[in-house]
Amino acid sequence: GNSVTQMEGPVTLSEEAFLTINCTYTATGYPSLFWYVQYPGEGLQLLLKATKADDKGSNKGFEATYRKETTSFHLEKGSVQVSDSAVYFCALRRKGNTPLVFGKGTRLSVIA
Amino acid sequence: DGGITQSPKYLFRKEGQNVTLSCEQNLNHDAMYWYRQDPGQGLRLIYYSQIVNDFQKGDIAEGYSVSREKKESFPLTVTSAQKNPTAFYLCASSITSEGYEQYFGPGTRLTVT
């Protein structure tokens, strides 16, 4: 079946540290890949996406590259801020008209 | 502004009562979804609808029901048959073309005691 595996949190970093949150997927064909962010008590917001192999999604200093050979879509940011503290979800959408499949989420805490 | 609204933000019910959660969108999206979120569980799909008057069960549909009479609206009823209904419920919508993301509402936190 289709699934997404994320590194378990929580992840605690100091401000300005480098961030990596690992995400790997299992899917038939070539799905579209997404990263969402959720702030406390809120819904999910799309952070970035990639729809084909070798695409790089980027937004607000965050980046992720669609790696077909390793079935991965790791999220990175060069210098995190306290305001980046949130839960991050990796997700995939298979080709066709199907719902997103989400990973379990990774909680990030950034301390000043 | 275009978006998805869910109401209320917080909902409290007694065990044994059915409760309906509202979800409305003005994005002109064909597809709508309901997810349940529990701590450490991520998001689990309850029901989804790709077109008016049609919907499909997701991974955890037992104890829930939905209707899709209008494109803009996709209410979720949590019935008394749902064994553990206390959770955060998220509604989402999307266009039905490949590669497109889902847009999420702010969520409803349901507490059943």
Side-chain angles (χ1 to χ4, degrees):
Chain A
N2 304 293
S3 65
V4 175
T5 302
Q6 291 181 234
M7 60 186 290
E8 290 194 18
V11 174
T12 302
L13 295 173
S14 298
E15 207 166 21
E16 298 184 4
F18 185 85
L19 168 71
T20 300
I21 300 178
N22 290 338
C23 171
T24 57
Y25 67 89
T26 301
T28 53
Y30 303 107
S32 298
L33 301 173
F34 306 84
W35 276 101
Y36 281 82
V37 59
Q38 184 181 34
Y39 298 101
E42 298 183 6
L44 276 68
Q45 302 173 27
L46 178 69
L47 184 58
L48 53 85
K49 71 177 186 181
T51 58
K52 60 183 187 297
D54 300 325
D55 266 3
K56 177 187 282 189
S58 61
N59 186 26
K60 300 181 182 178
F62 291 90
E63 292 183 341
T65 300
Y66 190 139
R67 301 285 188 202
K68 181 167 65 77
E69 62 277 11
T70 54
T71 61
S72 65
F73 193 54
H74 305 321
L75 183 68
E76 297 182 335
K77 187 176 185 183
S79 176
V80 293
Q81 306 299 313
V82 172
S83 57
D84 293 327
S85 298
V87 180
Y88 292 82
F89 291 92
C90 185
L92 69 82
R93 188 175 192 183
R94 288 187 293 117
K95 295 303 183 186
N97 193 11
T98 57
L100 293 181
V101 175
F102 286 87
K104 291 190 174 183
T106 303
R107 181 175 299 279
L108 170 66
S109 294
V110 180
I111 54 177
Chain B
D1 280 15
I4 302 176
T5 56
Q6 292 185 244
S7 59
K9 179 74 171 173
Y10 300 95
L11 193 51
F12 298 89
R13 281 293 182 270
K14 294 291 188 185
E15 197 172 317
Q17 294 179 335
N18 291 355
V19 59
T20 298
L21 282 59
S22 166
C23 177
E24 304 277 333
Q25 55 99 0
N26 61 3
L27 299 168
N28 200 33
H29 288 167
D30 284 313
M32 297 187 74
Y33 314 83
W34 275 105
Y35 290 88
R36 170 182 172 139
Q37 186 176 22
D38 297 283
Q41 296 279 343
L43 276 71
R44 293 183 289 170
L45 182 66
I46 305 173
Y47 268 99
Y48 65 103
S49 166
Q50 296 172 329
I51 196 168
V52 174
N53 293 322
D54 189 37
F55 47 83
Q56 289 79 42
K57 293 182 178 180
D59 301 317
I60 57 165
E62 185 175 348
Y64 299 96
S65 65
V66 293
S67 63
R68 186 86 187 277
E69 297 176 2
K70 298 187 300 182
K71 188 175 186 178
E72 302 79 21
S73 178
F74 191 41
L76 173 74
T77 297
V78 184
T79 75
S80 56
Q82 168 50 232
K83 291 183 172 56
N84 187 16
T86 295
F88 190 50
Y89 290 88
L90 287 160
C91 179
S93 71
S94 74
I95 66 175
T96 52
S97 297
E98 293 182 3
Y100 280 87
E101 62 271 23
Q102 290 174 189
Y103 292 80
F104 282 81
T108 292
R109 186 165 298 280
L110 173 65
T111 302
V112 177
T113 58

